[in-house]
Amino acid sequence: MHDYQAPLADMKFVLRELVDFGLLAQLPGFEEFTLDVADAVLDEGAKFASLVLSPLNHSGDSEGVRWADGEVLTAAGWRQAYAQFVADGWSGLSCPSEFGGQNLPRALSALVEEMWNGANVAFALCPMLTRGAIDSIELRGSVFQKSNYLSKMISGEWTGTMVLTEPQAGSDLSAIRTRAVPDRDGRYLVTGQKIFITYGEHDLTGNIVHMVLARIAGAPDGVRGISLFLVPKFLVNADGSLGARNDVRCLSIEEKLGIHASPTCVLAFGQNDGAVAELVGEANRGLEYMFIMMNTARFSVGLEGIGISERAYQTAHAYARERVQGTEAGVHGGPRVTIICHPDVRRMLLLMKSQTEAMRALASVVAVSLDAARLHPRLEERQRHQAVADLMIPVVKGWCTENAVDIASLGIQVHGGVGFVEETGAAQYLRDARITPIYEGTTGIQANDLIGRKLARDGGRAAQAVIADMRGVAAELAAAPNLSGPAVGFSAAIDSLELAIHYVVQNYATDIRGVSVGAVPMLKLFGIVAGGWQLLRSAQIAEQRLAALDDGGATAGFHEAKIMTARFYTDHVLSQAPGLAHTIVHGASAALAEGVL
């Protein structure tokens, strides 16, 4: 079984060449952030991922988690790994220094987070959800909540959860029934049952901070009556010490297709007197606040997709280099060769490689906008970067996770029959990846958000700003002799994206059902073109670096591979853009026809 190795060369290329490092260094709080610091963090993160997390991936999948009388026990080695994770300071990498975080850019922590997911996605889910809870408390919590909870959560001493879903509600949060009744001391008592709560109960930390959506008695129906509450597993005393056990219990854990080592819990609040809860922010604004956490989680789920894709590619690539089978095509009577020599295997591996590199590059560039939207000293720049981040988060989440399923499936195909056998590990990546397009809003929900809130609502202005940047790159590529061919394909893909955006903007208000048929193809189209944009930027930079080299070697080989990977992506992935645009513009009538289903 192949162990994960962080793709450091590509990660460092992305951080040095594609990310606007100069902008990051100018943002308040990042003045001392340097490439040396980034390299050190990536190097140490790679060691932790490969030496600590990766060896637990298969064993955790095999052992799973155990539930007994409301308590959950994680797999062997999990507690030790988490203790080292906390001791090494990984939990607070990009969290505010005011509460003990290291205040490093999201663009760096996103790459490290990808490592955790590539090495062991079931483990990475725990700190990922904690980070979302931290963001909610930091932005909307009271002074008391910040002082009592943030430092412990940022250090990793306590973890956090996102508690939304109920059996009758699913993604329709307007239907939630969990209730909150005012209690003395300005707190509330919460009663209700929640399902699908990742790491809702575990044995890794002394406390778990649940961020719970509920209705205060008498609140309006629908989403307007939802409030956000902080419900700790153990109550917290005024001096910060832990008090009595709160009235929240794990009723069961789910038996799942994948991520077996991650406990997915059914939680009951208030089986006795009610779970003591603290209101976060203002009453009836819970959904608004939850989206702070949700957007953090959606971006991070996209990183899950990238990490699993990289792991699946590494495993398939290693197998293809060692598996001897058949003779090379066109060589009659030749020697038996490794399957990486076969054209179709090469095609599959390059589909895995090129899309993974495109996703990594895109997510890293979007992470810069997340940092700038929060920290840039100029209001107009914060607004511009926020518009880019808002536009691209559903793309990063939806496109990267759908790709992860396809890439993990290709990994099994490269292995052939042994890929269907658990011993190789290839099957686990597909099982683990399959939840990611569902997490934090399905691909359809992400796509509807993209066409409605992110394209139609602003008339496509944010998207047109991104397209303008893409066209600038296409023009530069057209002037480069070795890249003029890919430039033609890229320009055609941009035309397709612009045509589709124009259709959505022009027709959404009058034909929302028809436009919605093409929502997921729209998300895929946007992802494919945006990923191509970053890969072709990579090729352009690689050409420049090759021209400056006076010798060959590994550096030259890396840059040459960058160029060929981008050319492959242009021919095999960007070429799908016109067909997707056709589906978006013309695909509604048959899908909505009466009697077809």
Side-chain angles (χ1 to χ4, degrees), residues 433-579:
R434 193 60 195 85
I435 187 59
T436 61
I438 299 171
Y439 266 154
E440 313 308 339
T442 63
T443 305
I445 290 173
Q446 306 303 317
N448 286 333
D449 178 51
L450 176 65
I451 65 170
R453 292 186 178 91
K454 310 303 168 58
L455 293 179
R457 181 175 292 182
D458 82 337
R461 284 186 292 274
Q464 287 297 335
V466 171
I467 285 176
D469 289 343
M470 292 179 179
R471 291 206 182 277
V473 170
E476 293 172 0
L477 292 169
N482 293 332
L483 296 173
S484 57
V488 173
F490 183 38
S491 293
I494 298 171
D495 290 343
S496 297
L497 176 61
E498 194 161 34
L499 170 67
I501 290 170
H502 179 77
Y503 172 80
V504 169
V505 170
Q506 292 298 311
N507 293 280
Y508 186 82
T510 57
D511 186 18
I512 186 171
R513 294 186 74 241
V515 174
S516 295
V517 169
V520 170
M522 181 76 235
L523 185 148
K524 182 177 182 179
L525 173 60
F526 214 129
I528 282 174
V529 180
W533 171 36
Q534 298 307 320
L535 275 193
L536 287 166
R537 284 184 65 211
S538 300
Q540 181 184 27
I541 293 164
E543 280 275 346
Q544 296 166 358
R545 299 295 175 263
L546 279 173
L549 287 174
D550 55 9
D551 59 0
T555 303
F558 174 85
H559 289 109
E560 288 165 355
K562 271 288 173 193
I563 295 166
M564 295 311 299
T565 299
R567 292 179 67 91
F568 176 90
Y569 186 95
T570 303
D571 294 334
H572 289 259
V573 183
L574 272 179
S575 56
Q576 300 171 30

Side-chain angles (χ1 to χ4, degrees), residues 168-189:
Q168 80 291 340
S171 297
D172 181 10
L173 296 178
S174 65
I176 67 169
R177 298 173 184 165
T178 300
R179 297 291 175 180
V181 177
D183 190 22
R184 59 186 180 278
D185 302 326
R187 296 189 296 186
Y188 291 78
L189 295 176

Side-chain angles (χ1 to χ4, degrees), residues 5-64:
Q5 299 294 323
L8 285 173
D10 194 57
M11 288 180 166
K12 291 179 179 181
F13 176 88
V14 166
L15 205 55
R16 280 175 164 77
E17 307 286 12
L18 298 182
V19 162
D20 191 342
F21 205 90
L23 170 61
L24 287 177
Q26 294 172 14
L27 295 178
F30 295 163
E31 295 85 358
E32 298 181 6
F33 177 57
T34 66
L35 283 172
D36 287 342
V37 169
D39 283 351
V41 171
L42 290 175
D43 290 342
E44 290 303 312
K47 293 175 186 176
F48 185 80
S50 63
L51 298 177
V52 179
L53 296 185
S54 182
L56 296 175
N57 191 51
H58 179 68
S59 61
D61 179 65
S62 299
E63 181 181 344

Side-chain angles (χ1 to χ4, degrees), residues 104-333:
L104 290 170
R106 191 75 177 96
L108 174 62
S109 71
L111 291 169
V112 177
E113 197 172 333
E114 183 202 319
M115 294 181 192
W116 307 154
N117 288 299
N120 192 328
V121 67
F123 180 94
L125 281 164
C126 185
M128 182 271 277
L129 288 166
T130 303
R131 174 57 194 267
I134 288 168
D135 284 355
S136 290
I137 297 170
E138 181 192 356
L139 293 174
R140 294 294 181 265
S142 66
V143 172
F144 175 84
Q145 289 163 352
K146 291 177 184 179
S147 62
N148 271 26
Y149 294 96
L150 279 185
S151 62
K152 297 289 181 68
M153 296 173 73
I154 287 172
S155 71
E157 185 176 344
W158 298 347
T159 59
T161 67
M162 182 162 55
V163 185
L164 289 73
T165 311
E166 299 179 9
Q168 80 291 340
S171 297
D172 181 10
L173 296 178
S174 65
I176 67 169
R177 298 173 184 165
T178 300
R179 297 291 175 180
V181 177
D183 190 22
R184 59 186 180 278
D185 302 326
R187 296 189 296 186
Y188 291 78
L189 295 176
V190 169
T191 57
Q193 187 176 119
K194 299 284 188 175
I195 62 172
F196 301 154
I197 311 305
T198 302
Y199 279 92
E201 177 61 38
H202 58 77
D203 58 356
L204 302 180
T205 61
N207 205 7
I208 304 172
V209 180
H210 302 292
M211 307 300 290
V212 182
L213 288 185
R215 294 183 188 281
I216 297 173
D221 293 333
V223 296
R224 294 182 300 112
I226 297 174
S227 297
L228 178 63
F229 295 90
L230 186 159
V231 184
K233 175 181 174 179
F234 286 92
L235 300 179
V236 179
N237 298 320
D239 62 359
S241 63
L242 293 183
R245 175 74 183 255
N246 207 354
D247 190 7
V248 51
R249 292 283 176 177
C250 176
L251 298 183
S252 64
I253 54 176
E254 305 294 351
E255 297 290 334
K256 307 186 296 291
L257 174 68
I259 54 167
H260 294 152
S262 167
T264 304
C265 302
V266 177
L267 293 183
F269 295 85
Q271 285 186 305
N272 298 309
D273 298 326
V276 177
E278 302 170 22
L279 179 67
V280 177
E282 299 177 18
N284 301 332
R285 295 181 66 182
L287 196 61
E288 172 193 339
Y289 300 156
M290 183 58 78
F291 268 101
I292 297 169
M293 189 172 180
M294 184 78 78
N295 279 331
T296 298
R298 285 176 172 173
F299 181 76
S300 289
V301 172
L303 300 178
E304 292 174 13
I306 301 168
I308 296 172
S309 296
E310 175 65 34
R311 181 72 179 266
Y313 167 68
Q314 288 186 15
T315 302
H317 183 258
Y319 180 79
R321 290 179 67 87
E322 66 185 26
R323 170 63 171 166
V324 176
Q325 183 171 297
T327 60
E328 194 165 353
V331 181
H332 299 290

